[in-house]
């Protein structure tokens, strides 16, 4: 008979070595938001509410829209009716590029060529080729550049990595993760429009893929099965990633199904479950082979503040890249996305 499960006392971040950074201790920098859309709103709220930094300027293709955005998410920010005006604003230290990924290369190059540091929403571009162009420009300009893979900076992910490093579940053998979101079909929607680099993979699938890559690195082989929407972009995709020593990731993404958006890391001596939504601030439960369990609960609040605070620290220190989400990480994840699209026959306009 299996030993009864023993629930260990709730562990603190310190117990799990999952350092919860003091967001307010990060230096203050001045953010400029490029593209007054949905995610730019929550990012700006996080910066203003949880860090010492401020959003000092907003750039939109429409001055009225920039003003509305500032009123809602960045009171007092200077408003610009073009992205060109935003990137030349002398009061902006770092530009946060929050346009659709089809336009990340063009809009990020604008900022880099104006000498600005950049944080670019995920995925950094549509493809490895575009990423390499973007990163080469950042290298040449000597500016800070990072893809906004905010999950990597969340407290429960730090706790997860610390627990794995301590051998709490033995050796990691399998990562199971999905991000399935039911989005009403609309050929003009960001998730379905080829001209906006639509598809579940680049928008949603990047989360489980980057998560598996964070724990296991670049895979040896990539096997993909899936379907495409009427517009030709992927909409329901299963991926199996294999590593040479037998480790596997079993991942799924969909714009047509409503999933739990959970992740499980299975090791030789236990497993770790991260419930909905594994890529946002949430809980993490370790179940060991002896039946004992421990749970870590993330602080609440806008999670994009963690990446924003990290960028503030790095830029102030004179760094040009993050060692937690490196340029190599960005390109390796992009390479998995490229290969998945190749296997499904998804090609974007101009490729
Ligand atoms: N980190 C996260 O949790 C998260 C979540 C969702 C999305 N994202 C990423 O963030 C990016 C933006 O997503 P979103 O949901 O914020 O999109 P959104 O609400 O549609 O906003 C995108 C903004 O980009 C600007 N834009 C410039 N050219 C455009 C074009 N041709 N078509 C449409 N908009 C254009 C628009 O701003 P102006 O009109 O003001 O110029 C628009 O408001 C995507 O790369 C996405 O993958 C990240």
């Amino acid at each position: 008979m299996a030993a009864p499960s023993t629930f260990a006392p709730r562990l603190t971040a310190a117990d799990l070595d999952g350092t919860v950074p003091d967001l307010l201790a990060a230096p203050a920098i001045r953010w400029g938001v490029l593209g007054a859309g949905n995610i730019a709103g929550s990012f700006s709220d996080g910066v203003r509410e949880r860090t010492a930094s401020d959003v000092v300027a907003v750039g939109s293709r429409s001055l009225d829209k920039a003003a509305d955005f500032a009123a809602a998410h960045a009171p007092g920010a200077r408003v610009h009716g073009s992205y060109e005006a935003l990137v030349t604003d002398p009061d902006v230290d770092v530009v946060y590029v929050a346009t659709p990924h089809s336009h990340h290369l063009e809009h990020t190059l604008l900022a880099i060529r104006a000498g600005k540091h950049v944080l670019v929403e995920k995925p950094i571009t549509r493809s490895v080729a575009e990423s390499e162009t973007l990163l080469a420009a950042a290298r040449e300009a000597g500016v800070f550049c990072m893809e906004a893979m905010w999950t990597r900076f969340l407290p429960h992910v730090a706790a997860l990595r610390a627990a794995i490093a301590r051998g709490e579940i033995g050796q990691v053998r399998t990562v199971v993760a999905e991000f399935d979101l039911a989005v009403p079909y609309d050929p003009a929607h960001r998730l379905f429009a080829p001209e906006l680099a639509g598809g579940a993979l680049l928008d949603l699938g990047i989360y489980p893929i980057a998560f598996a890559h964070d724990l296991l690195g670049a895979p040896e082989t990539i096997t993909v099965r899936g379907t495409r929407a009427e517009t030709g972009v992927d909409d329901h995709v299963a991926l199996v990633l294999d590593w040479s020593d037998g480790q596997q990731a079993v991942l799924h993404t969909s714009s047509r199904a409503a999933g739990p958006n959970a992740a499980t890391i299975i090791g030789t001596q236990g497993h770790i479950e991260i419930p909905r939504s594994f890529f946002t601030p949430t809980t993490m439960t370790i179940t060991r082979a002896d039946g004992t369990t421990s749970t870590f609960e993330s602080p609440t609040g806008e999670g994009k503040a963690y990446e924003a605070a990290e960028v503030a620290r790095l830029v102030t220190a004179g760094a040009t890249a993050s060692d937690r989400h490196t340029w190599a990480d960005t390109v390796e994840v992009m390479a998995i996305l490229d290969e998945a699209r190749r296997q499904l026959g998804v090609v974007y306009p101009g490729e």
Side-chain angles (χ1 to χ4, degrees):
M1 202 170 75
S5 171
T6 315
F7 194 85
R10 178 146 296 199
L11 300 178
T12 65
D15 293 329
L16 285 177
D17 282 347
T19 48
V20 177
D22 179 353
L23 292 171
L24 288 170
I29 60 167
R30 300 169 302 174
W31 288 94
V33 167
L34 191 155
N38 172 51
I39 213 62
S42 52
F43 177 85
S44 302
D45 294 344
V47 165
R48 292 186 48 257
E49 289 163 11
R50 305 196 70 193
T51 77
S53 297
D54 200 6
V55 175
V56 300
V58 181
S60 168
R61 295 164 301 172
S62 147
L63 191 59
D64 286 348
K65 193 173 163 193
D68 289 348
F69 182 95
H73 302 288
R78 189 175 298 156
V79 293
H80 297 286
S82 74
Y83 299 154
E84 288 77 5
L86 173 84
V87 301
T88 53
D89 186 325
D91 289 335
V92 169
D93 299 317
V94 184
V95 171
Y96 168 60
V97 178
T99 53
H101 23 283
S102 48
H103 291 65
H104 285 177
L105 177 61
E106 176 192 340
H107 296 152
T108 307
L109 287 180
L110 267 184
I112 289 174
R113 287 173 183 153
K116 297 297 191 199
H117 304 296
V118 288
L119 174 67
V120 189
E121 256 311 332
K122 40 57 58 179
I124 192 165
T125 56
R126 301 187 303 179
S127 62
V128 167
E130 287 189 356
S131 305
E132 287 174 343
T133 302
L134 189 155
L135 294 170
R139 184 177 291 112
E140 196 182 335
V143 298
F144 175 87
C145 177
M146 191 181 91
E147 179 182 43
M149 183 40 71
W150 60 302
T151 303
R152 290 205 173 183
F153 302 94
L154 296 178
H156 75 282
V157 175
L160 165 72
R161 287 166 57 90
I164 291 172
R166 266 204 320 276
E168 295 262 9
I169 60 165
Q171 289 177 321
V172 173
R173 301 306 297 160
T174 316
V175 175
V176 181
E178 51 69 54
F179 186 5
D180 291 357
L181 188 70
V183 179
Y185 178 68
D186 171 0
H189 188 281
R190 199 184 82 225
L191 268 158
F192 296 104
E195 64 277 16
L196 295 179
L201 272 168
L202 264 65
D203 209 297
L204 315 174
I206 189 171
Y207 284 107
I209 291 170
F211 184 71
H213 176 275
D214 191 22
L215 298 177
L216 298 172
E220 197 92 349
T221 61
I222 300 164
T223 308
V224 181
R225 298 295 302 272
T227 58
R228 291 191 280 150
E230 293 85 325
T231 53
V233 304
D234 59 281
D235 62 355
H236 198 72
V237 183
L239 305 95
V240 177
L241 312 184
D242 285 280
W243 283 260
S244 55
D245 61 357
Q247 292 167 312
Q248 290 190 313
V250 181
L251 312 176
H252 197 269
T253 190
S254 176
S255 54
R256 306 283 205 171
N261 306 334
T264 306
I265 301 91
I266 303 168
T268 50
Q269 292 169 46
H271 63 273
I272 299 175
E273 290 166 284
I274 308 179
R276 180 182 188 83
S277 295
F278 78 88
F279 48 87
T280 70
T282 183
T283 58
M284 172 193 95
T285 298
I286 304 169
T287 302
R288 304 176 191 88
D290 64 5
T292 59
T293 65
S294 306
T295 294
F296 170 80
E297 196 146 341
S298 281
T300 55
E302 175 49 58
K304 282 179 270 298
Y306 293 99
E307 67 177 353
E310 185 63 9
V311 173
R313 281 189 202 97
L314 292 167
V315 165
T316 305
T320 54
S322 161
D323 57 7
R324 183 67 188 87
H325 187 46
T326 66
W327 292 3
D329 291 340
T330 294
V331 173
E332 285 175 10
V333 169
M334 205 78 244
I336 299 171
L337 292 164
D338 273 10
E339 173 58 17
R341 281 204 295 129
R342 190 193 66 75
Q343 291 186 29
L344 295 174
V346 176
V347 180
Y348 295 128
E351 285 191 318

